[in-house]
Each structure stands twice: as structure tokens, then as C-alpha cells.
Amino acid sequence: MNSGSDDKVTPLRPKRPCPECGKPSARETYPFCSVRCKDIDLNRWLKGAYIIPGRDNEDETDNDPPK
């Protein structure tokens, strides 16, 4: 079935460093290097450390019809 040992498999995802510690990422915990780094990131999301900014209240009042 092997056509030759020179054939290379193209990875589906590019290799990237772990966003927490910078070590090479692991396939099982991608994009993290370990379960520990994955859990650290999840904990930050659950505590609300990562915040996605919303619209300002001033922008919403500009669209209200005049009273």
C-alpha cells in the first residue's frame, strides 16, 4: 500500500506554539501543548478574564428616534 518512503503526509493544521507557554502544540490538545495549558485557558474563559467588547451605550442611543 505504501508507494514509497519519500511520500510525506501534509498535516491538516500547521504547527503552532502553545498560546499559554510557547511550547510546541500536541495533536491531542491542539492548539495547546498539554491538558494543563488547556485547562488554564478554559479557567480564564469561565472566570471572565477574556472579554469580547460590545457596543457602547452611546451608539445605541444615537439610533433612537427623537422624543
Side-chain angles (χ1 to χ4, degrees), residues 5-25:
S5 61
D6 293 334
D7 293 339
K8 292 191 175 189
V9 177
T10 304
L12 296 176
R13 300 179 189 139
K15 291 239 177 201
R16 294 187 179 167
C18 175
E20 288 299 320
C21 68
K23 292 180 183 176
S25 59

Side-chain angles (χ1 to χ4, degrees), residues 32-52:
F32 304 99
C33 69
S34 65
V35 173
R36 179 183 177 272
C37 284
K38 191 175 183 178
D39 288 344
I40 289 170
D41 185 70
L42 177 61
N43 187 38
R44 287 184 181 153
W45 278 104
L46 295 175
K47 286 189 338 187
Y50 298 136
I51 299 173
I52 299 172

